[in-house]
Amino acid sequence: MFQRKLRALNFHHPDSFTIDDETEVQGLVVWLEDQKIRFYASDDRKPLRAVGSPGWQGAFTKYLQDLECPLDFRKQASTLDWLLGYAIRLEYSDNCDEYRSLDKAVQQAQQPANGATGGQLATLEPDSAEFKAGAESLAKALNLPRHTDPVLLFQASRRLIEDRFSPAALAKASHEAQHIGECFPLDKMDLGFDTKDKALNQAAKVLRLLHIAELRQLQTNINEIIVAVQTLTANPKTDERLGKVGR
């Protein structure tokens, strides 16, 4: 999940990096501080450079606090993603003129030959405060998790809207809503055993009903497969030209 940002920072092995290897994670943090962020003086980086030591996690926590990271330090994936984004912002600010010229060249290369502007989306400025606020507000309304990259957040919101609110998705939701069965009181259901705990009994009843619903859906799927196979086998087509009469 970090490959794109690692490539942007010219990390030496972005494709093989894994967050499951604690030594690799600690080495990446040291590399980011030494090569990209450079927040500490060289001598102050010694606790971070002590990869594998018992006190490294404490040094990393202090490092995030000094950088004013707004995330929960216990969530390593989120904090590491934030740290990579922080390094990219510094990299961009150090070479902004170079990147701006490249960005303009890419935009000119991607501009349609017929002069189409791409509608209102073409006027969006991903680096503007308005775009960031709008992307975060839209993601919050859709219950999406926070992300440091507003462009990715906007793309995720767009994909969710396309998947959940497309005509096909709305038609499916409407169809399912029309076939919701009547409420069944759990008190009238016989569990078949007693756990001596009312809450556990209720939970067991719910699990049993869900299991029955899954079995019914499985049976429906099997019936559909049988019908499909019978359609192919019960009415075979013959070629009359191959028939012979007499000897």
Side-chain angles (χ1 to χ4, degrees), residues 33-121:
E33 170 58 21
D34 284 341
Q35 302 296 326
K36 303 297 178 181
I37 300 177
R38 299 185 289 274
F39 183 80
Y40 287 155
S42 181
D43 292 340
D44 296 335
R45 300 174 189 169
K46 290 181 180 179
L48 282 178
R49 290 172 176 165
V51 174
S53 67
W56 188 92
Q57 191 61 43
F60 181 53
T61 299
K62 182 179 182 303
Y63 181 56
L64 293 174
Q65 291 174 344
D66 293 340
L67 293 178
E68 298 182 354
C69 175
L71 305 179
D72 185 352
F73 300 163
R74 294 170 298 180
K75 298 179 180 180
Q76 189 178 64
S78 300
T79 53
L80 188 59
D81 184 71
W82 180 89
L83 195 63
L84 289 169
Y86 186 88
I88 289 175
R89 289 194 295 273
L90 292 177
E91 182 80 3
Y92 177 82
S93 63
D94 291 342
N95 305 278
C96 59
D97 294 335
E98 178 184 354
Y99 288 120
R100 284 175 180 172
S101 61
L102 290 174
D103 186 52
K104 291 180 179 178
V106 171
Q107 290 180 359
Q108 292 175 356
Q110 293 179 344
Q111 186 174 2
N114 59 4
T117 60
Q120 295 181 349
L121 293 178

Side-chain angles (χ1 to χ4, degrees), residues 37 52 193 212:
I37 300 177
F193 58 89
I212 293 174

